[in-house]
Amino acid sequence: MLSTSSLLNKTPQWVWWSFFPGLGGLVIVYAGFKAKTPLWIAWGLGFFVISFTFNQWLGISWIILIGQVVLAFAIKKEYNIKISPRGSLIPEDVETAELIAKVKGTIDINTCSKNDMVKVLGLPIVYANNIESLQNEGYVLTHLEELSEIAGIPENQLKKIAPLIHFCYDDKLETHLSWRRINVLSVEDLILLGLSQKVAQKIVSERKKKGDYKSVIEVKQRTGLPFHSYRQII
């Protein structure tokens, strides 16, 4: 299977036909029809009509030829993205992710499927499972930092997929509501915030045994507590 960079840089056969005077405009029309892009169709028809209207003017013919070749190579990456099946392009860097997002659109991390997380965003299944678990329990992610702090996604990986993600709820959490307070509050403090005594004791006991929690999903994994039992402090 070809890598994303190889797929994007692949030169479709129609691009080479753009070197033919007159016919070059029609191949751009073809690309526009296949990629469902009316603007390309209009450009291609424009090149075709002008090339035949001024076919006896050598200078203009050369300008048209150069123009259609330049356009063909300029749109080939976008064309490759448009015709690629969903999930066949995994972002390898920020630039690629931005290009894919521009053509294919972004993904709402709060409503997308696990399949989209793995095949579109390229997330390892362990992180996709973490996010799915949060979705199932009703937690709404609000910004990129939460994907690292709560779902545990490494920051270097998060940077690569950031352009492909959007949030259906985008208000920033207040600092005093940060989930990290779970690492400093006592059992009594947690109870005052609405947790049951059993849940509060479990959280604090596990924290004392193995140290601070590194993410919200880790709280669930280490304590075995359902997310809804301590959701109000996250």
Side-chain angles (χ1 to χ4, degrees), residues 4-10 76-77 80-81 89 96 99:
T4 296
S5 59
S6 297
L7 283 171
L8 291 183
N9 291 313
K10 181 180 178 182
K76 76 168 187 175
K77 274 191 178 182
N80 287 335
I81 293 175
L89 300 174
T96 301
L99 186 56

Side-chain angles (χ1 to χ4, degrees), residues 27-180:
V27 300
I28 294 175
V29 171
Y30 163 80
F33 272 113
K34 192 166 183 182
K36 299 178 181 179
T37 307
L39 182 60
W40 297 355
I41 296 174
W43 274 103
L45 288 174
F47 280 125
F48 178 74
V49 170
I50 294 174
S51 65
F52 273 93
T53 302
F54 298 97
N55 65 336
Q56 294 182 339
W57 297 67
L58 187 59
I60 294 179
S61 295
W62 272 106
I63 292 173
I64 294 300
L65 177 61
I66 293 172
Q68 65 192 29
V69 170
V70 169
L71 178 61
F73 278 93
I75 66 176
K76 76 168 187 175
K77 274 191 178 182
E78 188 171 341
Y79 171 84
N80 287 335
I81 293 175
K82 284 177 177 288
I83 66 168
S84 295
R86 185 174 179 80
S88 63
L89 300 174
I90 301 297
E92 298 174 344
D93 50 53
V94 175
E95 184 180 356
T96 301
E98 289 175 343
L99 186 56
I100 295 173
K102 177 184 175 183
V103 178
K104 294 282 193 180
T106 56
I107 289 176
D108 182 350
I109 199 65
N110 286 307
T111 60
C112 67
S113 67
K114 186 193 296 186
N115 186 63
D116 282 343
M117 296 180 215
V118 175
K119 293 190 175 181
V120 179
L121 296 179
L123 287 176
I125 190 67
V126 62
Y127 301 125
N129 285 336
N130 289 347
I131 295 172
E132 184 183 52
S133 178
L134 293 171
Q135 289 176 339
N136 291 339
E137 298 209 40
Y139 186 79
V140 178
L141 294 158
T142 60
H143 49 86
L144 285 171
E145 288 76 10
E146 285 190 307
L147 288 173
S148 177
E149 295 178 348
I150 298 179
I153 300 174
E155 290 187 8
N156 62 336
Q157 184 163 25
L158 187 58
K159 288 179 181 178
K160 291 194 299 184
I161 64 174
L164 283 166
I165 298 172
H166 75 269
F167 302 87
C168 61
Y169 176 77
D170 199 24
D171 290 330
K172 302 297 183 183
L173 293 177
E174 298 291 341
T175 303
H176 69 279
L177 295 179
S178 170
W179 71 270
R180 292 186 181 278

Side-chain angles (χ1 to χ4, degrees), residues 14-30:
W14 62 264
V15 172
W16 302 115
W17 283 91
S18 68
F19 284 90
F20 285 79
L23 295 178
L26 292 180
V27 300
I28 294 175
V29 171
Y30 163 80

